[in-house]
Amino acid sequence: MTARIDPLDLAVSTVLRGHQGQKNVTNVHLAATTGIHPRTLIRILEGHRAATVGELRLLAGVLGSTASEIAVEAERLIENA
């Protein structure tokens, strides 16, 4: 049985991918600079796994943001859905 991912975690993945695209940052660069294993990174970005708070902080930092800014954007996505 597969665990369901929370809608907020899915929205966080969407926001992270959006920032990644805007900054033109590759998965290889994100994995290398954050220390997150590439397979784990892909699972987070594709919404198959929730990012931990620490992972979110690392990813947001590389993307020029903060974990709290990413979370607020994700909440807005849910509200506007």
Tab-separated table of all heavy atoms in Angstrom, residues 3-65:
chain	number	residue	atom	x	y	z
A	3	ALA	N	1.561	5.151	0.696
A	3	ALA	CA	1.060	6.241	1.542
A	3	ALA	C	0.687	7.428	0.659
A	3	ALA	O	1.355	7.711	-0.330
A	3	ALA	CB	2.120	6.640	2.555
A	4	ARG	N	-0.372	8.100	1.029
A	4	ARG	CA	-0.801	9.282	0.276
A	4	ARG	C	-0.003	10.482	0.752
A	4	ARG	O	0.223	10.650	1.943
A	4	ARG	CB	-2.286	9.520	0.488
A	4	ARG	CG	-3.111	8.377	-0.104
A	4	ARG	CD	-4.528	8.720	-0.167
A	4	ARG	NE	-4.646	9.925	-0.998
A	4	ARG	CZ	-5.780	10.504	-1.313
A	4	ARG	NH1	-6.885	10.012	-0.867
A	4	ARG	NH2	-5.817	11.576	-2.055
A	5	ILE	N	0.379	11.306	-0.179
A	5	ILE	CA	1.132	12.503	0.174
A	5	ILE	C	0.143	13.646	0.418
A	5	ILE	O	-0.877	13.762	-0.267
A	5	ILE	CB	2.173	12.838	-0.908
A	5	ILE	CG1	3.138	13.888	-0.413
A	5	ILE	CG2	1.535	13.215	-2.201
A	5	ILE	CD1	4.429	13.956	-1.174
A	6	ASP	N	0.427	14.442	1.395
A	6	ASP	CA	-0.433	15.560	1.779
A	6	ASP	C	-0.498	16.588	0.649
A	6	ASP	O	0.512	16.842	-0.025
A	6	ASP	CB	0.159	16.201	3.044
A	6	ASP	CG	-0.741	17.280	3.592
A	6	ASP	OD1	-0.566	18.449	3.165
A	6	ASP	OD2	-1.573	16.973	4.439
A	7	PRO	N	-1.654	17.206	0.423
A	7	PRO	CA	-1.774	18.228	-0.621
A	7	PRO	C	-0.763	19.372	-0.465
A	7	PRO	O	-0.269	19.902	-1.458
A	7	PRO	CB	-3.209	18.739	-0.476
A	7	PRO	CG	-3.945	17.596	0.128
A	7	PRO	CD	-2.958	16.919	1.042
A	8	LEU	N	-0.435	19.739	0.760
A	8	LEU	CA	0.562	20.796	0.957
A	8	LEU	C	1.933	20.338	0.481
A	8	LEU	O	2.669	21.103	-0.140
A	8	LEU	CB	0.619	21.236	2.422
A	8	LEU	CG	1.608	22.362	2.736
A	8	LEU	CD1	1.297	23.616	1.922
A	8	LEU	CD2	1.597	22.669	4.224
A	9	ASP	N	2.276	19.084	0.739
A	9	ASP	CA	3.557	18.563	0.265
A	9	ASP	C	3.600	18.536	-1.257
A	9	ASP	O	4.638	18.831	-1.861
A	9	ASP	CB	3.812	17.163	0.827
A	9	ASP	CG	4.038	17.175	2.327
A	9	ASP	OD1	4.716	18.113	2.811
A	9	ASP	OD2	3.549	16.275	3.012
A	10	LEU	N	2.489	18.186	-1.883
A	10	LEU	CA	2.424	18.217	-3.350
A	10	LEU	C	2.597	19.642	-3.870
A	10	LEU	O	3.298	19.881	-4.857
A	10	LEU	CB	1.092	17.644	-3.842
A	10	LEU	CG	0.930	16.140	-3.741
A	10	LEU	CD1	-0.498	15.741	-4.103
A	10	LEU	CD2	1.933	15.442	-4.636
A	11	ALA	N	1.965	20.584	-3.197
A	11	ALA	CA	2.090	21.985	-3.602
A	11	ALA	C	3.526	22.474	-3.415
A	11	ALA	O	4.039	23.238	-4.239
A	11	ALA	CB	1.109	22.853	-2.816
A	12	VAL	N	4.181	22.033	-2.345
A	12	VAL	CA	5.590	22.401	-2.134
A	12	VAL	C	6.425	21.895	-3.302
A	12	VAL	O	7.282	22.617	-3.822
A	12	VAL	CB	6.114	21.855	-0.783
A	12	VAL	CG1	7.636	21.894	-0.721
A	12	VAL	CG2	5.518	22.641	0.374
A	13	SER	N	6.179	20.675	-3.743
A	13	SER	CA	6.902	20.130	-4.896
A	13	SER	C	6.683	20.991	-6.138
A	13	SER	O	7.626	21.289	-6.874
A	13	SER	CB	6.443	18.693	-5.186
A	13	SER	OG	6.787	17.842	-4.139
A	14	THR	N	5.453	21.393	-6.348
A	14	THR	CA	5.126	22.244	-7.502
A	14	THR	C	5.866	23.572	-7.423
A	14	THR	O	6.429	24.042	-8.419
A	14	THR	CB	3.605	22.478	-7.567
A	14	THR	OG1	2.958	21.207	-7.708
A	14	THR	CG2	3.225	23.393	-8.706
A	15	VAL	N	5.868	24.184	-6.258
A	15	VAL	CA	6.555	25.468	-6.076
A	15	VAL	C	8.055	25.301	-6.285
A	15	VAL	O	8.693	26.124	-6.954
A	15	VAL	CB	6.241	26.067	-4.690
A	15	VAL	CG1	7.107	27.287	-4.407
A	15	VAL	CG2	4.758	26.435	-4.607
A	16	LEU	N	8.627	24.245	-5.735
A	16	LEU	CA	10.067	24.010	-5.916
A	16	LEU	C	10.415	23.857	-7.398
A	16	LEU	O	11.390	24.447	-7.877
A	16	LEU	CB	10.506	22.761	-5.146
A	16	LEU	CG	10.599	22.891	-3.634
A	16	LEU	CD1	10.828	21.520	-2.998
A	16	LEU	CD2	11.718	23.859	-3.237
A	17	ARG	N	9.606	23.093	-8.125
A	17	ARG	CA	9.861	22.930	-9.566
A	17	ARG	C	9.744	24.265	-10.297
A	17	ARG	O	10.514	24.547	-11.217
A	17	ARG	CB	8.892	21.905	-10.165
A	17	ARG	CG	9.223	20.480	-9.816
A	17	ARG	CD	8.436	19.474	-10.657
A	17	ARG	NE	7.030	19.794	-10.805
A	17	ARG	CZ	6.065	19.407	-9.975
A	17	ARG	NH1	6.366	18.686	-8.913
A	17	ARG	NH2	4.809	19.719	-10.208
A	18	GLY	N	8.795	25.084	-9.882
A	18	GLY	CA	8.649	26.402	-10.507
A	18	GLY	C	9.873	27.266	-10.284
A	18	GLY	O	10.382	27.889	-11.220
A	19	HIS	N	10.366	27.292	-9.061
A	19	HIS	CA	11.570	28.068	-8.755
A	19	HIS	C	12.778	27.496	-9.490
A	19	HIS	O	13.627	28.244	-9.982
A	19	HIS	CB	11.834	28.082	-7.242
A	19	HIS	CG	10.966	29.030	-6.488
A	19	HIS	ND1	11.438	30.201	-5.973
A	19	HIS	CD2	9.645	28.991	-6.171
A	19	HIS	CE1	10.456	30.840	-5.362
A	19	HIS	NE2	9.350	30.116	-5.467
A	20	GLN	N	12.832	26.177	-9.567
A	20	GLN	CA	13.935	25.528	-10.260
A	20	GLN	C	13.945	25.940	-11.735
A	20	GLN	O	14.990	26.255	-12.285
A	20	GLN	CB	13.796	24.008	-10.129
A	20	GLN	CG	14.907	23.235	-10.785
A	20	GLN	CD	14.678	21.731	-10.728
A	20	GLN	OE1	13.570	21.257	-10.488
A	20	GLN	NE2	15.741	20.978	-10.950
A	21	GLY	N	12.783	25.959	-12.345
A	21	GLY	CA	12.686	26.366	-13.743
A	21	GLY	C	13.045	27.827	-13.943
A	21	GLY	O	13.742	28.182	-14.897
A	22	GLN	N	12.572	28.687	-13.043
A	22	GLN	CA	12.873	30.118	-13.146
A	22	GLN	C	14.367	30.388	-13.019
A	22	GLN	O	14.904	31.275	-13.685
A	22	GLN	CB	12.124	30.905	-12.076
A	22	GLN	CG	10.642	30.988	-12.291
A	22	GLN	CD	9.924	31.605	-11.091
A	22	GLN	OE1	10.510	31.865	-10.047
A	22	GLN	NE2	8.623	31.827	-11.253
A	23	LYS	N	15.027	29.632	-12.152
A	23	LYS	CA	16.462	29.826	-11.918
A	23	LYS	C	17.307	28.998	-12.879
A	23	LYS	O	18.531	29.117	-12.883
A	23	LYS	CB	16.832	29.442	-10.478
A	23	LYS	CG	16.162	30.290	-9.428
A	23	LYS	CD	16.811	31.642	-9.344
A	23	LYS	CE	16.214	32.427	-8.182
A	23	LYS	NZ	16.815	33.711	-8.005
A	24	ASN	N	16.652	28.145	-13.681
A	24	ASN	CA	17.340	27.283	-14.635
A	24	ASN	C	18.395	26.424	-13.934
A	24	ASN	O	19.549	26.358	-14.363
A	24	ASN	CB	17.957	28.109	-15.767
A	24	ASN	CG	18.248	27.275	-16.991
A	24	ASN	OD1	17.594	26.267	-17.232
A	24	ASN	ND2	19.239	27.686	-17.751
A	25	VAL	N	17.983	25.802	-12.836
A	25	VAL	CA	18.866	24.968	-12.033
A	25	VAL	C	18.550	23.504	-12.337
A	25	VAL	O	17.393	23.090	-12.264
A	25	VAL	CB	18.670	25.253	-10.525
A	25	VAL	CG1	19.511	24.331	-9.676
A	25	VAL	CG2	18.988	26.705	-10.217
A	26	THR	N	19.565	22.727	-12.645
A	26	THR	CA	19.360	21.320	-12.960
A	26	THR	C	19.228	20.484	-11.690
A	26	THR	O	19.659	20.902	-10.609
A	26	THR	CB	20.539	20.762	-13.772
A	26	THR	OG1	21.717	20.775	-12.945
A	26	THR	CG2	20.771	21.562	-15.052
A	27	ASN	N	18.661	19.296	-11.857
A	27	ASN	CA	18.589	18.355	-10.740
A	27	ASN	C	19.985	17.977	-10.272
A	27	ASN	O	20.214	17.812	-9.079
A	27	ASN	CB	17.819	17.097	-11.143
A	27	ASN	CG	16.340	17.330	-11.303
A	27	ASN	OD1	15.825	18.392	-10.980
A	27	ASN	ND2	15.638	16.324	-11.808
A	28	VAL	N	20.909	17.846	-11.204
A	28	VAL	CA	22.289	17.494	-10.853
A	28	VAL	C	22.880	18.569	-9.942
A	28	VAL	O	23.490	18.260	-8.919
A	28	VAL	CB	23.153	17.304	-12.127
A	28	VAL	CG1	24.621	17.151	-11.778
A	28	VAL	CG2	22.653	16.114	-12.935
A	29	HIS	N	22.673	19.830	-10.294
A	29	HIS	CA	23.193	20.925	-9.469
A	29	HIS	C	22.512	20.944	-8.098
A	29	HIS	O	23.185	21.117	-7.073
A	29	HIS	CB	23.004	22.270	-10.175
A	29	HIS	CG	23.489	23.437	-9.383
A	29	HIS	ND1	24.831	23.719	-9.231
A	29	HIS	CD2	22.820	24.382	-8.671
A	29	HIS	CE1	24.960	24.794	-8.456
A	29	HIS	NE2	23.746	25.208	-8.114
A	30	LEU	N	21.198	20.783	-8.079
A	30	LEU	CA	20.476	20.771	-6.795
A	30	LEU	C	20.982	19.650	-5.893
A	30	LEU	O	21.229	19.866	-4.708
A	30	LEU	CB	18.973	20.591	-7.019
A	30	LEU	CG	18.140	21.827	-7.257
A	30	LEU	CD1	16.685	21.441	-7.509
A	30	LEU	CD2	18.236	22.804	-6.120
A	31	ALA	N	21.143	18.465	-6.454
A	31	ALA	CA	21.618	17.333	-5.655
A	31	ALA	C	23.033	17.586	-5.143
A	31	ALA	O	23.329	17.349	-3.970
A	31	ALA	CB	21.565	16.047	-6.479
A	32	ALA	N	23.887	18.088	-6.011
A	32	ALA	CA	25.287	18.316	-5.629
A	32	ALA	C	25.417	19.394	-4.562
A	32	ALA	O	26.217	19.267	-3.637
A	32	ALA	CB	26.107	18.678	-6.862
A	33	THR	N	24.659	20.453	-4.674
A	33	THR	CA	24.806	21.570	-3.737
A	33	THR	C	24.079	21.350	-2.423
A	33	THR	O	24.436	21.950	-1.411
A	33	THR	CB	24.339	22.905	-4.362
A	33	THR	OG1	23.005	22.767	-4.813
A	33	THR	CG2	25.238	23.321	-5.511
A	34	THR	N	23.046	20.500	-2.422
A	34	THR	CA	22.308	20.251	-1.184
A	34	THR	C	22.763	18.989	-0.465
A	34	THR	O	22.502	18.825	0.719
A	34	THR	CB	20.793	20.118	-1.449
A	34	THR	OG1	20.575	18.995	-2.322
A	34	THR	CG2	20.221	21.394	-2.044
A	35	GLY	N	23.387	18.087	-1.197
A	35	GLY	CA	23.761	16.806	-0.615
A	35	GLY	C	22.618	15.807	-0.576
A	35	GLY	O	22.751	14.723	-0.018
A	36	ILE	N	21.488	16.174	-1.177
A	36	ILE	CA	20.337	15.262	-1.246
A	36	ILE	C	20.608	14.274	-2.374
A	36	ILE	O	20.963	14.664	-3.485
A	36	ILE	CB	19.028	16.039	-1.505
A	36	ILE	CG1	18.749	17.002	-0.340
A	36	ILE	CG2	17.858	15.085	-1.713
A	36	ILE	CD1	17.600	17.962	-0.596
A	37	HIS	N	20.435	12.999	-2.090
A	37	HIS	CA	20.674	11.967	-3.098
A	37	HIS	C	19.797	12.255	-4.320
A	37	HIS	O	18.614	12.615	-4.170
A	37	HIS	CB	20.342	10.586	-2.525
A	37	HIS	CG	20.784	9.469	-3.402
A	37	HIS	ND1	20.061	9.063	-4.489
A	37	HIS	CD2	21.900	8.693	-3.357
A	37	HIS	CE1	20.696	8.067	-5.084
A	37	HIS	NE2	21.817	7.820	-4.404
A	38	PRO	N	20.351	12.105	-5.519
A	38	PRO	CA	19.573	12.417	-6.737
A	38	PRO	C	18.231	11.705	-6.815
A	38	PRO	O	17.235	12.304	-7.215
A	38	PRO	CB	20.497	11.981	-7.870
A	38	PRO	CG	21.870	12.111	-7.293
A	38	PRO	CD	21.725	11.738	-5.837
A	39	ARG	N	18.170	10.447	-6.415
A	39	ARG	CA	16.903	9.713	-6.472
A	39	ARG	C	15.893	10.308	-5.488
A	39	ARG	O	14.711	10.452	-5.804
A	39	ARG	CB	17.131	8.237	-6.163
A	39	ARG	CG	15.880	7.405	-6.387
A	39	ARG	CD	16.154	5.924	-6.270
A	39	ARG	NE	17.293	5.560	-7.104
A	39	ARG	CZ	18.117	4.557	-6.842
A	39	ARG	NH1	17.925	3.800	-5.785
A	39	ARG	NH2	19.120	4.281	-7.644
A	40	THR	N	16.367	10.679	-4.318
A	40	THR	CA	15.493	11.308	-3.319
A	40	THR	C	15.003	12.650	-3.835
A	40	THR	O	13.820	12.991	-3.706
A	40	THR	CB	16.243	11.483	-1.990
A	40	THR	OG1	16.644	10.193	-1.521
A	40	THR	CG2	15.379	12.169	-0.942
A	41	LEU	N	15.901	13.424	-4.429
A	41	LEU	CA	15.536	14.729	-4.987
A	41	LEU	C	14.434	14.585	-6.030
A	41	LEU	O	13.442	15.321	-6.002
A	41	LEU	CB	16.765	15.402	-5.594
A	41	LEU	CG	16.492	16.714	-6.310
A	41	LEU	CD1	16.035	17.782	-5.331
A	41	LEU	CD2	17.717	17.160	-7.068
A	42	ILE	N	14.592	13.645	-6.926
A	42	ILE	CA	13.585	13.444	-7.970
A	42	ILE	C	12.244	13.054	-7.351
A	42	ILE	O	11.197	13.557	-7.759
A	42	ILE	CB	14.066	12.396	-8.989
A	42	ILE	CG1	15.211	12.992	-9.820
A	42	ILE	CG2	12.926	11.929	-9.888
A	42	ILE	CD1	15.962	11.999	-10.667
A	43	ARG	N	12.271	12.187	-6.352
A	43	ARG	CA	11.022	11.793	-5.685
A	43	ARG	C	10.337	12.994	-5.031
A	43	ARG	O	9.119	13.128	-5.080
A	43	ARG	CB	11.288	10.695	-4.656
A	43	ARG	CG	11.621	9.346	-5.307
A	43	ARG	CD	11.914	8.246	-4.306
A	43	ARG	NE	11.005	8.181	-3.196
A	43	ARG	CZ	9.814	7.579	-3.192
A	43	ARG	NH1	9.385	6.997	-4.279
A	43	ARG	NH2	9.065	7.570	-2.109
A	44	ILE	N	11.138	13.897	-4.456
A	44	ILE	CA	10.573	15.109	-3.847
A	44	ILE	C	9.969	16.002	-4.930
A	44	ILE	O	8.830	16.452	-4.819
A	44	ILE	CB	11.649	15.868	-3.044
A	44	ILE	CG1	12.048	15.081	-1.790
A	44	ILE	CG2	11.161	17.275	-2.676
A	44	ILE	CD1	13.297	15.602	-1.093
A	45	LEU	N	10.735	16.262	-5.979
A	45	LEU	CA	10.282	17.179	-7.027
A	45	LEU	C	9.081	16.646	-7.806
A	45	LEU	O	8.266	17.424	-8.295
A	45	LEU	CB	11.435	17.500	-7.983
A	45	LEU	CG	12.582	18.300	-7.378
A	45	LEU	CD1	13.718	18.439	-8.390
A	45	LEU	CD2	12.123	19.666	-6.889
A	46	GLU	N	8.977	15.330	-7.898
A	46	GLU	CA	7.840	14.740	-8.603
A	46	GLU	C	6.629	14.530	-7.691
A	46	GLU	O	5.585	14.071	-8.139
A	46	GLU	CB	8.256	13.415	-9.248
A	46	GLU	CG	9.205	13.616	-10.411
A	46	GLU	CD	9.614	12.304	-11.068
A	46	GLU	OE1	9.301	11.208	-10.529
A	46	GLU	OE2	10.256	12.378	-12.123
A	47	GLY	N	6.784	14.858	-6.411
A	47	GLY	CA	5.660	14.754	-5.490
A	47	GLY	C	5.387	13.356	-4.983
A	47	GLY	O	4.306	13.067	-4.495
A	48	HIS	N	6.388	12.467	-5.078
A	48	HIS	CA	6.224	11.102	-4.579
A	48	HIS	C	6.677	10.964	-3.132
A	48	HIS	O	6.424	9.947	-2.503
A	48	HIS	CB	7.013	10.113	-5.441
A	48	HIS	CG	6.566	10.082	-6.857
A	48	HIS	ND1	5.333	9.605	-7.243
A	48	HIS	CD2	7.177	10.496	-7.991
A	48	HIS	CE1	5.216	9.714	-8.553
A	48	HIS	NE2	6.306	10.259	-9.029
A	49	ARG	N	7.360	11.998	-2.655
A	49	ARG	CA	7.878	11.979	-1.285
A	49	ARG	C	7.907	13.417	-0.783
A	49	ARG	O	8.282	14.327	-1.507
A	49	ARG	CB	9.284	11.401	-1.276
A	49	ARG	CG	9.979	11.419	0.077
A	49	ARG	CD	11.455	11.112	-0.171
A	49	ARG	NE	12.308	11.075	0.966
A	49	ARG	CZ	12.760	12.131	1.632
A	49	ARG	NH1	12.381	13.344	1.320
A	49	ARG	NH2	13.608	11.982	2.625
A	50	ALA	N	7.507	13.600	0.452
A	50	ALA	CA	7.548	14.936	1.052
A	50	ALA	C	8.988	15.279	1.430
A	50	ALA	O	9.747	14.417	1.873
A	50	ALA	CB	6.671	14.980	2.295
A	51	ALA	N	9.345	16.538	1.242
A	51	ALA	CA	10.651	17.020	1.692
A	51	ALA	C	10.612	17.202	3.201
A	51	ALA	O	9.606	17.650	3.750
A	51	ALA	CB	10.981	18.348	1.015
A	52	THR	N	11.695	16.844	3.858
A	52	THR	CA	11.784	17.167	5.283
A	52	THR	C	11.994	18.671	5.405
A	52	THR	O	12.324	19.351	4.417
A	52	THR	CB	12.965	16.438	5.955
A	52	THR	OG1	14.184	16.947	5.406
A	52	THR	CG2	12.875	14.925	5.773
A	53	VAL	N	11.835	19.187	6.581
A	53	VAL	CA	12.059	20.625	6.794
A	53	VAL	C	13.499	20.982	6.435
A	53	VAL	O	13.750	21.996	5.783
A	53	VAL	CB	11.726	21.025	8.250
A	53	VAL	CG1	12.109	22.464	8.516
A	53	VAL	CG2	10.258	20.801	8.535
A	54	GLY	N	14.434	20.142	6.823
A	54	GLY	CA	15.831	20.400	6.502
A	54	GLY	C	16.095	20.380	5.003
A	54	GLY	O	16.822	21.228	4.471
A	55	GLU	N	15.511	19.411	4.315
A	55	GLU	CA	15.670	19.340	2.857
A	55	GLU	C	15.051	20.556	2.193
A	55	GLU	O	15.626	21.127	1.259
A	55	GLU	CB	15.034	18.059	2.313
A	55	GLU	CG	15.772	16.799	2.688
A	55	GLU	CD	14.971	15.538	2.448
A	55	GLU	OE1	13.710	15.601	2.376
A	55	GLU	OE2	15.598	14.471	2.360
A	56	LEU	N	13.887	20.957	2.665
A	56	LEU	CA	13.221	22.134	2.105
A	56	LEU	C	14.085	23.371	2.293
A	56	LEU	O	14.232	24.177	1.383
A	56	LEU	CB	11.848	22.323	2.742
A	56	LEU	CG	11.045	23.525	2.254
A	56	LEU	CD1	10.852	23.489	0.746
A	56	LEU	CD2	9.703	23.573	2.967
A	57	ARG	N	14.684	23.510	3.464
A	57	ARG	CA	15.558	24.654	3.729
A	57	ARG	C	16.737	24.664	2.757
A	57	ARG	O	17.078	25.699	2.179
A	57	ARG	CB	16.061	24.614	5.172
A	57	ARG	CG	16.949	25.799	5.540
A	57	ARG	CD	17.515	25.686	6.946
A	57	ARG	NE	18.292	24.480	7.173
A	57	ARG	CZ	19.564	24.318	6.778
A	57	ARG	NH1	20.192	25.277	6.148
A	57	ARG	NH2	20.197	23.189	7.031
A	58	LEU	N	17.358	23.510	2.550
A	58	LEU	CA	18.495	23.417	1.631
A	58	LEU	C	18.081	23.740	0.194
A	58	LEU	O	18.747	24.516	-0.500
A	58	LEU	CB	19.111	22.016	1.690
A	58	LEU	CG	19.826	21.639	2.974
A	58	LEU	CD1	20.150	20.144	2.977
A	58	LEU	CD2	21.090	22.463	3.149
A	59	LEU	N	16.992	23.144	-0.249
A	59	LEU	CA	16.526	23.359	-1.622
A	59	LEU	C	16.144	24.816	-1.848
A	59	LEU	O	16.517	25.417	-2.861
A	59	LEU	CB	15.344	22.440	-1.931
A	59	LEU	CG	15.680	20.950	-2.033
A	59	LEU	CD1	14.413	20.115	-1.997
A	59	LEU	CD2	16.489	20.687	-3.290
A	60	ALA	N	15.392	25.370	-0.916
A	60	ALA	CA	14.982	26.769	-1.042
A	60	ALA	C	16.197	27.681	-1.106
A	60	ALA	O	16.233	28.616	-1.913
A	60	ALA	CB	14.074	27.151	0.121
A	61	GLY	N	17.186	27.416	-0.273
A	61	GLY	CA	18.382	28.255	-0.259
A	61	GLY	C	19.094	28.264	-1.595
A	61	GLY	O	19.491	29.323	-2.095
A	62	VAL	N	19.240	27.105	-2.206
A	62	VAL	CA	19.890	27.034	-3.518
A	62	VAL	C	19.061	27.776	-4.566
A	62	VAL	O	19.605	28.367	-5.499
A	62	VAL	CB	20.115	25.561	-3.942
A	62	VAL	CG1	20.612	25.477	-5.372
A	62	VAL	CG2	21.095	24.885	-2.994
A	63	LEU	N	17.751	27.771	-4.379
A	63	LEU	CA	16.858	28.413	-5.353
A	63	LEU	C	16.602	29.887	-5.027
A	63	LEU	O	15.750	30.520	-5.637
A	63	LEU	CB	15.547	27.638	-5.424
A	63	LEU	CG	15.690	26.189	-5.917
A	63	LEU	CD1	14.374	25.438	-5.773
A	63	LEU	CD2	16.186	26.160	-7.361
A	64	GLY	N	17.340	30.429	-4.063
A	64	GLY	CA	17.235	31.855	-3.754
A	64	GLY	C	16.020	32.230	-2.938
A	64	GLY	O	15.519	33.356	-3.031
A	65	SER	N	15.542	31.300	-2.133
A	65	SER	CA	14.344	31.540	-1.347
A	65	SER	C	14.571	30.993	0.066
A	65	SER	O	15.687	30.646	0.423
A	65	SER	CB	13.150	30.849	-2.022
A	65	SER	OG	11.931	31.239	-1.443
